[in-house]
Structure formats: C-alpha cells, structure tokens
Amino acid sequence: MSTPVLADDSHAHYAGLESRDIATLSESDIADLEAGRGWGFALAAELNGHPGPAHVLEHAEDLGLSPEQRTRVEEIFTAMQVEAIAAGTVFIAAERALDIAFSNGGLDAAKLETLVSAAGQARSNLRFVHLSRHLETLEVLSAQQVERYNDLRGYTDDPCAQIPEGHDSEMLRRHNGCDR
C-alpha cells in the first residue's frame, strides 16, 4: 500500500487551531462576521467593476457623489449591514453545530450531510447579501464614477501593479494570478 502524497508535508499545518472555539473560524473571522464585514465574499463583484457600498462611501468625495447618491448608497450599506450581521450569525451557528457534532462523536453520514448543507446554505446566503449590494450600488453610480472608483481602489490594467490599501495582498495576488 502506498502513502498518499501531500501538497504540504508540514507536520503541524493545523497545530494551534485545535484551541479555537469553532475549528473553522478564527476569532478574527467571527468578529468580522458578527460585524457584518465582507470577509472577501464580494471579490467577484468588486474586482469586476461592481463597487461596494462601504468603499463607495469611503471615497464619496473623490467620486463626487451627489447628495442623492450618497443617501442611496448609505441606505444600501445600512441594509447590507443589518442583513449581513443576521446572516453571519446563522453561518457562525451552523459552523459551531458542525464543530460540536464532530467534537461530541457519534456522527453519522445523514447527520453530517444535514449539518454540512446547513453551513453551506448559510455561507451562500451571507455571500448573496454582500454581492447583491454591489449590484445595487452599481445602479447608483455613473460609468465615470465607476471608472474613478476602480482607479482609487488600485484596479488598474495590471492588477498586480498596486495592491489597494485594506486588501489582503496575498489573497489579491493569488486571485489575480500575480505570481504565475
């Protein structure tokens, strides 16, 4: 019998994670989810020309938002926050239930499928909250404002040339294939 070949032969890849309250979520992850932060869920929109309400508000002056635009984007952001916090709470609970089930033992395939499906659906719902608000925000902005937004965020023709402030540089570089 042969030994499987592993991509990472580090013996302690997960060492230290066993003390987490929920194995799959760090304290920082939980704090982000509880606060309604994006958690990277909207990158498909953000990096493809669909600005998010939080960052539009950060750059409101540079984008030349009209009072009506600012009010509408604030409404979108507020609704997103409320829904994201609620959806994040459900996602955290689903991950906690899965973690507890493994911790308690006696888990069978049927129960596991139910728990994994619940966690997957909760994650999907949370991601929808964030992505859908990018669609709404795009409708509020002019094409020129979207172009300016992309410039302000560092989304140039070469996405590897500049990592915008506040972004996880490793994730952005990996997403854009910068190190290929």
Side-chain angles (χ1 to χ4, degrees), residues 2 6 29 36 54 63 70 73 81 84 105 115 120 135 148 179:
S2 66
L6 303 176
D29 292 335
L63 293 172
R70 182 185 287 267
V73 175
Q81 282 295 107
L115 291 168
L135 287 178
R148 177 72 176 132
D179 299 324

Side-chain angles (χ1 to χ4, degrees), residues 6 35 39 42 45 64 72 86 90 94 101 119 133 149 157 173 178:
L6 303 176
W39 215 47
R72 181 64 188 124
V90 172
R133 290 323 194 272
Y149 174 89
D157 289 337
R173 293 185 68 74
C178 297

Side-chain angles (χ1 to χ4, degrees), residues 55-92:
H55 297 306
V56 166
L57 291 172
E58 288 171 10
H59 296 292
E61 191 172 311
D62 288 330
L63 293 172
L65 293 185
S66 70
E68 296 80 18
Q69 285 177 308
R70 182 185 287 267
T71 297
R72 181 64 188 124
V73 175
E74 287 171 348
E75 291 168 352
I76 292 168
F77 177 76
T78 299
M80 180 188 68
Q81 282 295 107
V82 169
E83 290 181 30
I85 290 169
T89 299
V90 172
F91 177 61
I92 292 167

Side-chain angles (χ1 to χ4, degrees), residues 114-178:
T114 299
L115 291 168
V116 168
S117 292
Q121 187 61 55
R123 182 182 178 98
S124 176
N125 292 343
L126 179 56
R127 190 167 190 205
F128 178 80
V129 166
H130 287 285
L131 285 166
S132 66
R133 290 323 194 272
H134 281 249
L135 287 178
E136 288 181 45
T137 302
L138 183 64
E139 293 175 6
V140 176
L141 304 175
S142 70
Q144 293 79 18
Q145 287 171 317
V146 172
E147 185 176 330
R148 177 72 176 132
Y149 174 89
N150 288 329
D151 288 342
L152 290 167
R153 298 286 293 157
Y155 309 143
T156 63
D157 289 337
D158 180 4
C160 302
Q162 178 184 1
I163 305 300
E165 184 178 330
H167 277 78
D168 180 320
S169 63
E170 184 178 321
M171 182 188 316
L172 193 68
R173 293 185 68 74
R174 185 173 50 247
H175 178 80
N176 288 310
C178 297

